[in-house]
Amino acid sequence: MRCSIKYNWPLLVLNSQSMSVLGSVVHWFRLDLRVHDNLALRNAINEAENRKNFLRPIYIIEPDILKQIRGNRLRFLIQSLHDLDANLRKLNTRLYIVRGKTSECLPELLKKWNVKYLTLQVDIDPFYIKQDEVIENFCDKNDIFVVKRVQHTVYNPQTVLKKNNGNVPLTYQKFLSLVNDIQVKECIEIKKEISEDCKSSDFNSKSYDVPSLTEIELDESSDFKYPGGESEGLKRLLTYMAKKQWVCSFEKPNTSPNSIEPSTTVLSPYISHGCLSARLFYHKLKQVESEMRHSEPPVSLLGQLMWREFYYTAGTGTENFDRMVGNSLCTQIPWGNNKDHLKAWSEGKTGYPFVDAIMRQLTQEGWIHHLARHMVACFLTRGDLWVSWEEGAKVFEDLLLDYDWSLNAGNWMWLSASAFFYKYFRVYSPVAFGKKTDKDGLYIKKYVPELKKFPSEYIYEPWKAPQSVQRAAGCIIGENYPKRIVDHDKVHKENMKKMSEAYKINKEKKALKRPRSD
């Protein structure tokens, strides 16, 4: 279910009499919720100081969008905005929260505040691209200078594409070869306090304050495992970078998808919201790696960051990257449309305890291990349920703290063997995969408490337990916990045949489109 949120915030009332005589410079925060390594923000500060204009760093909260964000993501966002406001106040400025539809309220504010200079970050999410088109068109007509900076990635995706003759690199190794000689710029810092002259008369107005969790009907007292914000992101980064041996020996396949506490950094939510600079993470990793022998991409920590860069490049250069139809990279597969299966999967009620534990952890905490994501994505698509990867991507968009448009689409295509990865016959077992790192099923017992009294020998396959064992455990399969919705051993073989046929048809279609040579 999506969050049910009521909005009682006052709407901005704008009229010609409230126009500012003195001009303003605006920095528009979106996916760059930080002060460190924020060149667009520094450009705005310098321009405001030089022009003797008011500085207004803004963030726009759109009610329609917030209704689509689940509790964990919304909580993380609001906490990040509070932290951003606190860090801006250390620089003698503040965050102005604007409530309304961007395409309507931002042009009005730019007029009201007499803005002639607007800075923002380049983002490739189609949602932000549409916003940019509207706002840039307005700015062009109203003589407002717009500065956009690439600062959400280590590399500029357009630069990478240009090096590859405008083509998307289709393999990770090809991407690495393209960026190998690109120098990564150093991070910038903003330390100087901003002049008092840059404070507007509405600086202390409560109407621009960040809403509290209570205002958006979230419990402030509840324990939240991964609090949002730049401060927390930097703290987490420094904590892990201090573990130099751990960083240098990190290898993705050797981490556990079902450990009770994360076996990875969980820095991804902070990077995806822009609370932590990807470029800062890159430089910190390179610094640690320079001191001792270390693992290499794709399995190293740096390799994990490069996967993000790879998908950003692919997403930048591919039309309709987040859908199957019209996506030149994506194999066209006739997925089924079993809504009951999709619902059971999303709610953690498939009857496969390992799959259900992963999905319930995701719902409760907003984060799951990347190998756990592999498991449930494969299970939903080519492995077991034959449901479109687009449907799974929508669920992850709702639930993941670290939801990222390009990574979400890219990973779902990979795991469904629709693009980038074509060994569709390599299917994760919903039984054997979890046993490798948690044979007693402690992870399952935590997130699927109905099964906590089941003996270890049946914890991954509770349907095999005798009735006497089920009664002793206080959980009857089919009553207290669902029966498995498919037989993995049977259905994954059937799905492999479907994948083989889809690949064959796609290959034939591509052959027909190729121009003949006379």
Side-chain angles (χ1 to χ4, degrees), residues 31-236:
L31 294 178
D32 59 330
L33 305 183
R34 64 180 185 272
V35 170
H36 77 274
D37 196 32
N38 195 325
L39 181 57
L41 173 62
R42 190 174 74 174
N43 291 155
I45 292 171
N46 290 344
E47 195 67 20
E49 294 274 8
N50 293 337
R51 288 172 177 255
K52 302 299 181 184
N53 279 184
F54 297 139
L55 174 68
R56 286 186 167 95
I58 69 169
Y59 184 88
I60 302 173
I61 294 180
E62 297 204 25
D64 288 343
I65 297 302
L66 284 183
K67 290 175 184 176
Q68 299 174 15
I69 300 178
R70 293 211 184 186
N72 284 327
R73 273 189 68 196
L74 185 54
R75 183 188 301 274
F76 192 95
L77 171 62
I78 296 301
Q79 289 174 334
S80 298
L81 294 176
H82 276 285
D83 187 66
L84 176 59
D85 182 50
N87 289 336
L88 286 170
R89 288 179 187 274
K90 293 174 185 176
L91 298 173
N92 201 34
T93 186
R94 64 164 294 176
L95 182 63
Y96 289 77
I97 295 295
V98 179
R99 304 166 174 89
K101 189 173 182 180
T102 299
S103 60
E104 298 172 358
C105 68
L106 185 52
E108 287 297 316
L109 281 176
L110 295 176
K111 277 196 253 180
K112 172 190 175 184
W113 289 338
N114 191 24
V115 175
K116 292 300 177 184
Y117 197 89
L118 171 68
T119 68
L120 66 154
Q121 169 180 283
V122 173
D123 293 308
I124 69 167
D125 185 324
F127 172 74
Y128 294 119
I129 290 175
K130 288 178 182 177
Q131 287 186 345
D132 288 356
E133 291 173 353
V134 173
I135 300 307
E136 288 178 34
N137 183 53
F138 173 85
C139 290
D140 184 56
K141 291 178 179 178
N142 289 272
D143 195 28
I144 300 173
F145 193 69
V146 179
V147 174
K148 299 177 74 173
R149 298 293 186 184
V150 176
Q151 55 188 41
H152 198 44
T153 50
V154 176
Y155 304 103
N156 184 339
Q158 295 290 356
T159 300
V160 182
L161 290 170
K162 187 176 180 180
K163 287 194 69 177
N164 201 38
N165 299 316
N167 299 316
V168 172
L170 298 180
T171 67
Y172 179 79
Q173 291 301 327
K174 176 62 176 179
F175 169 80
L176 291 183
S177 71
L178 292 169
V179 301
N180 184 55
D181 61 351
I182 298 178
Q183 185 174 2
V184 180
K185 295 179 181 179
E186 292 298 319
C187 299
I188 67 157
E189 291 188 67
I190 302 173
K191 292 183 176 180
K192 180 185 173 183
E193 274 199 8
I194 296 159
S195 167
E196 286 287 327
D197 294 337
C198 293
K199 286 184 177 180
S200 63
S201 58
D202 58 5
F203 183 86
N204 294 313
S205 172
K206 296 289 185 182
S207 64
Y208 294 112
D209 284 356
V210 181
S212 67
L213 293 175
T214 302
E215 279 183 80
I216 53 176
E217 299 184 343
L218 288 175
D219 186 3
E220 289 189 341
S221 63
S222 64
D223 185 33
F224 191 49
K225 199 164 188 175
Y226 308 111
E230 176 182 15
S231 300
E232 182 66 25
L234 289 171
K235 176 184 174 183
R236 197 171 191 92

Side-chain angles (χ1 to χ4, degrees), residues 25 48 53 80 133 152 243 279 318 347 375 381 423:
V25 172
N53 279 184
S80 298
E133 291 173 353
H152 198 44
K243 302 176 182 179
R279 190 165 52 182
T318 307
E347 294 179 355
M375 170 71 251
T381 57
K423 295 180 181 179

Side-chain angles (χ1 to χ4, degrees), residues 167-175 307-318 320-323 327-331 382 389 405-424 503 510:
N167 299 316
V168 172
L170 298 180
T171 67
Y172 179 79
Q173 291 301 327
K174 176 62 176 179
F175 169 80
W307 277 113
R308 180 177 187 269
E309 298 292 313
F310 170 63
Y311 282 135
Y312 257 85
T313 302
T316 300
T318 307
N320 300 314
F321 188 66
D322 61 346
R323 64 193 76 164
N327 182 340
S328 61
L329 299 182
C330 189
T331 301
R382 62 188 170 88
W389 63 267
W405 179 80
S406 58
L407 273 72
N408 195 44
N411 277 317
W412 273 99
M413 281 189 279
W414 182 293
L415 269 303
S416 64
S418 296
F420 309 115
F421 176 79
Y422 301 101
K423 295 180 181 179
Y424 60 82
Y503 272 45
K510 286 183 179 179

